[in-house]
């Protein structure tokens, strides 16, 4: 049975398509992994991908992606996949999510993959009924093809979950291994929100036993407060699955009261918060 802590990319024996039980989406999410080589342009401390390396994906085999997606969705719709592999409480198909083992928008064919998913869903009568989501670190919004793909996601009723774990340059470097300034994050998040409905997703945890400090909290709240009219809300979550990175032992969940306090601070800005400690 699939569980919320088991997000293996090979659970269906496929290269690009994998099912997970998503606690945030509330059912079965069909993942699209455009980075099957476990390469990402960021290196987040909490990442659950084993043997993660820096880089981008190899060229996509788009016909194979289409065969895998059609075949898997056919098994879900017409077979007994949900009964065999999913706990009863989660036996509903909730979305198609571009996620996987690295940043999906680093794939040169990202926009083509979005068109492909849209076509498959239309052919199966699912377009408009099954949400298409992109889970992204927002680092590629400067590329016209990426903006084109995100715009298509927005046009077909989908949405983006935009990673924002820390809002200072130092915090992004420490937590995400990313050279990212607050201005770069703000610009990318604004661009994304103009193209498709956008949620901010934030992993909030303790490092070396210490919660994020006042400077990190303040910078985050200031940015969210500035952009609160542009975003749909914040997915605030903790360490759901164990990190597979060398720094794993440095990470620990926050005390529930500290986590809830930060959520209340975000809500006080007039921003909707979906909280998963």
């Amino acid at each position: 049975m699939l569980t919320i802590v088991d997000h293996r990319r090979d659970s269906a024996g496929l290269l690009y398509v994998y099912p997970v039980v998503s606690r945030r989406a509330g059912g079965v999410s069909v993942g699209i992994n455009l980075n099957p080589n476990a390469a990402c342009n960021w290196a987040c401390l909490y990442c659950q991908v084993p043997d993660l390396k820096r880089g981008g994906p190899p060229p996509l085999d788009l016909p194979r992606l289409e065969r895998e997606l059609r075949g898997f969705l056919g098994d879900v719709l017409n077979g007994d996949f949900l009964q065999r592999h999913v706990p009863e409480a989660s036996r509903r198909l909730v979305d198609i999510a571009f996620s996987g083992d690295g940043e999906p928008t680093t794939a040169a064919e990202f926009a083509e993959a979005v068109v492909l998913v849209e076509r498959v869903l239309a052919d199966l009568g699912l377009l408009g009924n099954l949400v298409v989501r992109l889970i992204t670190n927002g680092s590629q919004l400067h590329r016209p093809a990426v903006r084109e793909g995100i715009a298509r996601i927005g046009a077909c009723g989908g949405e983006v979950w935009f990673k924002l774990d820390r809002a200072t340059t130092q915090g992004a470097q420490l937590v995400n291994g990313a050279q990212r300034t607050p201005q770069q994050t703000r610009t990318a998040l604004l661009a994304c929100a103009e193209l498709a409905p956008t949620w901010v997703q934030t992993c909030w945890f303790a490092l070396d036993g210490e919660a994020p400090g006042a400077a990190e909290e303040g910078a985050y709240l200031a940015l969210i407060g500035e952009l609160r009219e542009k975003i749909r809300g914040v997915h605030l979550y903790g360490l759901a699955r164990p990190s597979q990175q060398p720094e794993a032992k440095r990470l620990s969940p926050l005390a529930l009261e500290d986590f809830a306090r930060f959520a209340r601070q975000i809500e006080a800005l007039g921003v909707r918060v979906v909280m998963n400690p």
Side-chain angles (χ1 to χ4, degrees):
M1 283 285 177
L2 297 173
T3 70
I4 61 171
V5 297
D6 179 8
H7 281 200
R8 289 173 298 125
R9 311 307 190 212
D10 61 353
S11 59
L14 304 171
L15 179 63
Y16 294 118
V17 175
Y18 64 99
V20 299
V21 175
S22 171
R23 62 176 183 158
R24 279 177 285 164
V28 175
S29 174
V30 179
I32 305 292
N33 183 12
L34 303 184
N35 303 70
N37 59 339
C40 188
N41 64 337
W42 284 18
C44 300
L45 298 181
Y46 55 83
C47 184
Q48 73 274 12
V49 176
D51 302 317
L52 182 72
K53 56 183 176 289
R54 291 276 193 167
L60 297 183
D61 183 343
L62 290 169
R64 178 171 180 173
L65 170 58
E66 181 163 359
R67 289 195 302 272
E68 289 188 358
L69 184 59
R70 286 186 185 276
F72 181 77
L73 289 176
D75 192 17
V76 171
L77 295 173
N78 304 311
D80 60 353
F81 177 86
L82 296 180
Q83 288 71 28
R84 288 185 290 117
H85 296 289
V86 179
E88 185 173 359
S90 301
R91 286 176 187 167
R92 67 187 192 98
L93 197 58
V94 291
D95 69 15
I96 304 290
F98 287 94
S99 181
D101 287 341
E103 171 53 41
T105 62
T106 56
E109 305 88 350
F110 168 70
E112 295 172 80
V114 172
V115 173
L116 182 157
V117 168
E118 186 178 352
R119 180 172 65 248
V120 171
L121 293 180
D123 289 349
L124 296 177
L126 296 173
L127 190 62
N129 297 316
L130 197 60
V131 177
V132 178
R133 289 192 171 98
L134 167 66
I135 301 175
T136 179
N137 61 29
S139 63
Q140 304 297 304
L141 263 294
H142 59 282
R143 293 174 49 210
V146 171
R147 294 197 299 272
E148 177 188 338
I150 293 174
R152 290 194 72 100
I153 288 173
C156 71
E159 63 184 23
V160 177
W161 291 359
F162 187 108
K163 179 185 295 295
L164 173 59
D165 295 323
R166 302 293 183 269
T168 68
T169 302
Q170 297 82 2
Q173 177 62 53
L174 178 64
V175 171
N176 306 118
Q179 299 292 334
R180 191 79 164 164
T181 68
Q183 184 57 42
Q184 287 173 319
T185 299
R186 179 186 181 277
T187 298
L189 183 50
L190 275 173
C192 189
E194 290 174 357
L195 297 168
T198 299
W199 287 79
V200 167
Q201 60 162 9
T202 299
C203 190
W204 208 244
F205 57 92
L207 183 62
D208 297 325
E210 298 290 335
E216 285 295 344
E217 285 194 0
Y220 181 95
L221 293 170
L223 181 57
I224 294 298
E226 179 186 356
L227 302 181
R228 64 181 179 272
E229 300 296 334
K230 304 294 185 180
I231 62 175
R232 292 298 177 94
V234 171
H235 287 286
L236 185 66
Y237 64 102
L239 301 172
R241 300 181 298 280
S243 169
Q244 298 297 318
Q245 307 315 307
E247 302 86 357
K249 291 183 179 180
R250 300 177 59 195
L251 280 54
S252 58
L254 289 175
L256 183 57
E257 56 266 30
D258 292 334
F259 196 91
R261 176 189 59 80
F262 188 56
R264 289 194 297 272
Q265 288 180 284
I266 301 171
E267 289 175 330
L269 301 171
V271 176
R272 181 184 177 190
V273 177
V274 177
M275 190 175 77
N276 294 111

